[in-house]
Amino acid sequence: MAKNRLDHAVGSASIMHHNYPDLPESYVLYATALSRAGRFSQSMAVWEDVIKFPLKTIWLEQAIQVALKAANEEKIKRFLGLLEGIFIHPPSAGILAELTRQGRIVRGSVGIHCNQVMGWTWLPAEMAPRIEPIGGGASPTISHTSMQICGTYALRSFALALPESKDAYFLRVFSPDNKDIPGSPLTCEPASSIGPRKTSRTGLPAVLMPVYDDRKATQISLAGLLASRRVCTTPFDIVVVWDHGPDRHLFQYLERLARFQKIKLEVTPRNLGFLGAVNHGLRQYPNRDIVLLNADTIVNGDWFDRLHRISRACPRVGTITPMGSFAELVSFPSPRDPADVTSRKTTAKIDQAFKDAAGRRPWREIPVGVGFCMYVTRELINRIGGLDGYWLFSGYGEEVDLCLRAKKAGFCNLAALNVFVAHFGNRSFGLRKKALVTQNNKALFSRYPEYDKQYRQFLRDDPLRLHREAVSLKLYRPLGGPLHILCAWDKDSPNIDSLREAGKLQNQPWGALLIQDLGTKIHVTLQVHLEIKLADTRFILPLQWPSLKTAMERLSPTYLMLHSLAARVLKLAQQLGYPMELCLGQLTPQLLRLWRNGSPCPGDAFNMIRRVHCLDKDVAGWISAAGINAEVSLRENHIPVSEYFCAEIPAFPAWLVPAPRHLEEFRRLCSQASQQSRYGTLFYVLGVDDLWGNTPRPANILPCPPVDREKSTPARAMLIIGNDPEQIRMWSAWAADRKIPCYLSVA
């Protein structure tokens, strides 16, 4: 009875999860229900999705508990690393005690938040943490905000107000056994330590690159930077700040470049983090414009000349940020879906397209710049100082704070629309960035209450969209394959995301036209993926028909692959004038009506189509019975689920949708499976609410896993029918828990 209640709870949570995919609480509810039902592998897969949302300590604790029960060492280490990055809200003593019982050491976490040193420690009750300044000075006193004893250990959380100072302040937080708490030592450096000054630009501009680790990315970045300096007409220095990273070979490489006068090398007195390293470089090179450049970027050509010209063309310029990949507001092709650009060749193509697409005024004001590559004028530094290490913990948001302070001081933050800089993205901090983002954002929203609203409004309005589209049009080249055409509101059309994922798996150029019929106007969205995904380009027909024709000429598809027989799809395909093929995954209502009435297709639609791809035998039989002269392609495969995501997926996978005709096909599969000894229980998995409608469900197709009975014979294998990746992942994890071989049927 209890087991039945748990299964019912899992079913209810699953419905909630699928109905509200953007609500993190729905994931948490589903993961919790799965773990209580003992399905730990499935629960772990859902918790992985929870971690993608803004982080909460209590969610992380629950994820750790599930990982412990599943004995998943990889996930345990990953989640513990996240836990040691959260210093504002300490975890519960219960989870820390459980980790201690298992021999896992979690000492605590410490960081800087809103002019305070904050943190927590988990140490034996008789051992209190200590805070001492580095380089002498009076030892500050810790003010304990709470203390909770659990067994022989104590959870202490504390806060310490930073002293008012114009100089950098270094602190070490450690336990009595002289071991640093994660996050220590701390660099507490106020913005005023860099200025303000009353000097003007007298030296050459400098590119300032802090380096800690990742030798390969640093070498690629410096190679591109050195090559660009030979092209640029504006002279500039390359200043690398070595922040005492773990790779001695990387330091030797930098020393060699400095010895041959390729770069200027500065070494910090100790590891200061990104914020401290930048301020160290600013202090060493006064009276210059500075370009902050990450060590995981690629620049191209005369990029510096273009940034420098914008800095001179606009009055009161504070910061200038180029377009880039993984560049927040200025990401290409989209802020929410940045391109993964890691080669100099691809960077050069995109940069040239941005250069060609920019007009006479190649800049636009934005709320804040992005620190992966940001030109900072000397006037701004002289006015407001450097990065503020009294307000934020080093690692995320320092440049946002700088830009918001610049805006308050009357300066503007600009986006350079004629420059593209590739950014590898999320390499410096890895998973810890989630914790840094969450905590530093709280400090930023506290200091600048209007910032969050402005940021979200900019994303909604997306004033850079038209420029991204213009750049994408310049990057179009022949697809060398089909262009898919779908109707956006036609439920019988396949999911555009499924088509896109199939194209990615094949690693081939891919394109699609998505049609939305709005009565007097037709909106057409062109989606293209070449070396990278390009920005979605939108056209309003018939007004922008010439622009669509120009784009099609550049793409030059070999043929149009129609996924619908809707009138708008057929008409647009005919107007474009390319050979047409049709891909049918099911008997659509339109085809069923034609079949019942025995009438020919409207406008002899099939006469315009040179080939028909049928992914279902019912459709193939109907086309054959109708006497249509078309080549029919049938696909039916059974492959192990473990090989599904790495297998070569057909160009046009199956889309199984609710329709009565599936009943006979499923009965056939059930009968076939029951005759084969390798299959024991058959499951049908598909992400739809009401699959069967009024049609009775076959007896041997089950809606959910059966109740495990100790005396029952376990299934020899499980067959999953469908191609929903999320459902496949969930059911295959369920089968893995029970050590049942699992197969996938793509019909």
Side-chain angles (χ1 to χ4, degrees), residues 353-656:
F354 270 97
K355 187 176 179 180
D356 295 340
R360 295 182 178 180
R361 195 172 181 270
W363 62 81
R364 176 115 192 190
E365 188 167 359
I366 54 177
V368 294
V370 189
F372 79 104
C373 177
M374 190 166 72
Y375 192 110
V376 185
T377 62
R378 175 50 50 182
E379 289 82 359
L380 177 65
I381 299 172
N382 289 343
R383 179 73 178 273
I384 67 172
L387 303 184
D388 193 342
Y390 258 43
W391 197 262
L392 299 170
F393 190 45
S394 183
Y396 177 82
E398 306 95 330
E399 80 281 9
V400 173
D401 177 75
L402 178 75
C403 292
L404 292 173
R405 285 190 285 125
K407 198 170 182 180
K408 278 192 172 184
F411 291 84
C412 59
N413 305 299
L414 301 179
L417 305 182
N418 59 346
V419 185
F420 175 84
V421 175
H423 180 213
F424 297 170
N426 299 337
R427 297 171 74 100
S428 301
F429 295 92
L431 196 63
R432 280 199 67 205
K433 184 177 179 181
K434 291 291 295 183
L436 291 170
V437 168
T438 301
Q439 294 167 125
N440 282 0
N441 270 345
K442 287 183 179 180
L444 287 170
F445 298 156
S446 171
R447 193 175 193 178
Y448 311 100
E450 73 287 351
Y451 163 60
D452 187 38
K453 181 180 179 180
Q454 293 173 355
Y455 187 92
R456 293 178 185 276
Q457 185 65 43
F458 190 89
L459 281 178
R460 280 194 297 270
D461 296 343
D462 197 10
L464 303 179
R465 178 180 66 83
L466 292 177
H467 186 60
R468 292 188 182 101
E469 290 184 4
V471 170
S472 294
L473 286 171
K474 291 189 175 296
L475 289 170
Y476 284 172
R477 61 171 176 78
L479 285 173
L483 178 74
H484 303 267
I485 301 184
L486 306 94
C487 195
W489 293 341
D490 186 356
K491 293 182 180 179
D492 298 317
S493 288
N495 188 296
I496 187 70
D497 294 329
S498 302
L499 277 174
R500 188 187 299 114
E501 289 303 315
K504 283 183 180 178
L505 287 171
Q506 290 183 324
N507 195 27
Q508 292 179 352
W510 176 88
L513 268 177
L514 197 62
I515 303 173
Q516 294 182 6
D517 191 346
L518 301 177
T520 57
K521 295 180 180 179
I522 300 174
H523 284 199
V524 176
T525 303
L526 185 56
Q527 299 185 353
V528 177
H529 189 288
L530 298 174
E531 292 93 346
I532 60 168
K533 182 184 182 299
L534 301 178
D536 294 350
T537 308
R538 304 170 195 177
F539 304 91
I540 300 176
L541 302 182
L543 182 64
Q544 294 178 308
W545 175 255
S547 299
L548 177 59
K549 285 289 288 183
T550 300
M552 293 296 297
E553 288 171 3
R554 291 181 178 176
L555 290 173
S556 299
T558 53
Y559 61 93
L560 304 178
M561 176 61 73
L562 279 59
H563 292 270
S564 171
L565 286 172
R568 288 293 189 190
V569 172
L570 291 170
K571 183 178 179 181
L572 179 60
Q574 192 173 13
Q575 288 175 333
L576 291 174
Y578 291 90
M580 286 181 278
E581 297 187 7
L582 178 66
C583 181
L584 295 174
Q586 71 278 337
L587 288 178
T588 66
Q590 184 179 4
L591 284 176
L592 288 172
R593 284 195 299 271
L594 293 171
W595 193 0
R596 289 170 186 152
N597 299 334
S599 58
C601 290
D604 294 327
F606 279 108
N607 294 334
M608 299 183 294
I609 297 169
R610 67 181 189 182
R611 188 181 182 199
V612 179
H613 301 261
C614 296
L615 304 176
D616 184 273
K617 289 187 176 181
D618 290 346
V619 183
W622 178 82
I623 291 177
S624 177
I628 295 170
N629 184 19
E631 182 180 346
V632 177
S633 303
L634 295 175
R635 295 185 180 90
E636 184 171 340
N637 305 302
H638 297 283
I639 59 175
V641 170
S642 60
E643 300 174 10
Y644 175 67
F645 290 103
C646 60
E648 183 178 351
I649 306 300
F652 312 107
W655 292 276
L656 303 177

Side-chain angles (χ1 to χ4, degrees), residues 113 218 269 451 685:
H113 182 75
T218 304
Y451 163 60
V685 179

Side-chain angles (χ1 to χ4, degrees), residues 206-207 222 225-226 229 236-240 262-265:
V207 174
L222 283 172
L225 190 56
L226 290 168
R229 187 163 63 174
F236 62 90
D237 288 327
I238 300 174
V239 180
V240 175
K262 301 286 187 182
I263 64 172
K264 296 180 183 295
L265 181 62

Side-chain angles (χ1 to χ4, degrees), residues 7-20:
D7 288 339
H8 180 72
V10 170
S12 300
S14 175
I15 294 172
M16 177 79 171
H17 168 60
H18 289 293
N19 287 343
Y20 300 95

